[in-house]
Amino acid sequence: MKKTIAVVPGDGIGPEVMQEAVKVIDAVAEKFGHQFDLVYALAGGSAYDKFGSHLPDETLSICEKGDAILFGSVGGPVSEMQLPKWKDCERNSILTLRKHFSFAVNLRPSRVYPQLQSLSPLKPDLVAKGIDLLIVRELVGDAYFGVHKRDVADGERYATDEAKYTESQVKVAVHAAFECARKRRGKLTSVDKANVLTTSKLWREVAEEVAAEYPDVEYENMLVDNCAMQLIRDPSQFDVIVTSNMFGDILSDAAAVLPGSLGLAASASLNKDNFGLYEPPGGSAQDIAGQGVANPIAQILSAAMLLKYSFGLEAESKAIEDAVEASLAEGYRTGEIYSGEAFEKRVNTKQMTEAILRNLEKDPISVCNEKVSVPK
Ligand code: IPM
Ligand code: MG
C-alpha cells in the first residue's frame, strides 16, 4: 500500500514524541511492505514563529493532500498564555482543523493494561473488574462552535457561548457509536443533561430514534453528572459512551486517567469519508518538553489508530498495540508511570520506543492475528 501522511508535530513534547512515532511507522512500512510518505507541516506556536499564524495555509494544504493526518499537540506554557504566540493557539489550530475537515466523530479509547493495573488511581478491586471503554465524542457542534460573545451591559461585563445541535449532527455521532459498540461488547451509553438543556433533550430524542435501528446493541441514557461519578465508581460497566462535544471533552479526560497516565491515551477524529486526524489528547506538556522524558506511547498508539481507521490496516495496527503492550509487560516505564517496583526499568522517550521497536521486530505472528504473550 502506498499512502501519504501529513505529519504535524506541533509544540511542547509534540515534536519529541512524533519523532518516535515516525520510527514506528517506518518500521511497520518495512515489515509489512508498505510505502508511507511523510510530509511535515507546522501548527500552533511553532507555526506562529515562522508564519505569524497558528494554522498557515501551507499546513492546511499539506493536510488536504495527505491520506491522513498525524497530529502532535499544540499550546504554550500556562505562564505565557497571553503572549500573541500562544493566545488562542488551540482554538486557531486544532479547532479550525476539526471544522475545516468536518471531523464530526472523535474516538477516545481508555483501557487499563493488565500489567499496569497498579498505576490506576482506582482501588484494585475496581480495576480488577476490567476497564476497557471507548468515548465517542461529537466534535463539530455544541458551545465549541456556536457564537461566542462578550460585551458590557448595565456597567457589567458579560459573556455568552451559544450551544447548538442539529439533528443530523447528533445522528452522525450516535450511528458511529452504535457501529463501534457492535464491534466491541455490544453496549452503548448515551450521555446528556436532558433534565436541563434543550440541546440534550434533542440529543436524547434523536439518539433513541437511532437506537431503534440497532436492536442487537444494549442501549441506555445517562445524565452527565451521574456518568462522571460512575466513571470513577465503577468504570467497568461501560463499553461505548457517546456524548456531545463539551461533555465528551470533560469525560474523556477523566476516562483517560483511569489507566494511570495521559501519556498512554490516543484518539482519532474522523469525517464521513474516514479521512482522519490522529492525536494524543493529553496536550503539549510544556513542563517536561525538551527533556526527552515524555511518554511516546500516546503518539505511537495514535499512529496505530491511523493505520486502522484511515487505511484499514488492522494487522499492522494490532502489531503496534501488541508491541506496546509487550514492552510494558517487560517492565519498561517512562517517568510518569514508573512506580519503583524491582521489575520496572525506568526509561526515557527514545528508550521506550526502542523497546517497542524490538517487540515489533520480534513479533512474527500479528499477520495471522495471534497475541504476544503477556505475563499476567
Ligand atoms: C481536547 C482538547 C481540546 C478540546 C482543546 C485543546 C481545544 O482539550 O482535544 O480534548 O477542548 O477539544
Ligand atoms: Mg480535552
Side-chain angles (χ1 to χ4, degrees), residues 69-90:
I69 306 167
L70 187 62
F71 199 88
S73 34
V74 289
V78 181
S79 58
E80 296 176 21
M81 278 315 171
Q82 286 318 310
L83 300 181
K85 175 174 175 181
W86 300 119
K87 194 161 183 288
D88 291 332
C89 172
E90 289 91 337

Side-chain angles (χ1 to χ4, degrees), residues 90 95 98 108 137 144 249:
E90 289 91 337
L95 295 193
R98 288 175 186 170
R108 300 195 165 181
R137 169 185 175 194
Y144 273 75
D249 178 43

Side-chain angles (χ1 to χ4, degrees), residues 339-359:
S339 60
E341 298 280 342
F343 74 95
E344 292 183 336
K345 307 170 186 70
R346 189 179 176 136
V347 291
N348 62 25
T349 311
K350 284 197 163 52
Q351 292 162 326
M352 180 58 105
T353 313
E354 280 157 20
I356 293 168
L357 290 170
R358 265 199 309 278
N359 278 302

Side-chain angles (χ1 to χ4, degrees), residues 296-307:
I297 289 180
Q299 192 73 59
I300 290 170
L301 290 178
S302 297
M305 290 186 90
L306 182 155
L307 297 181

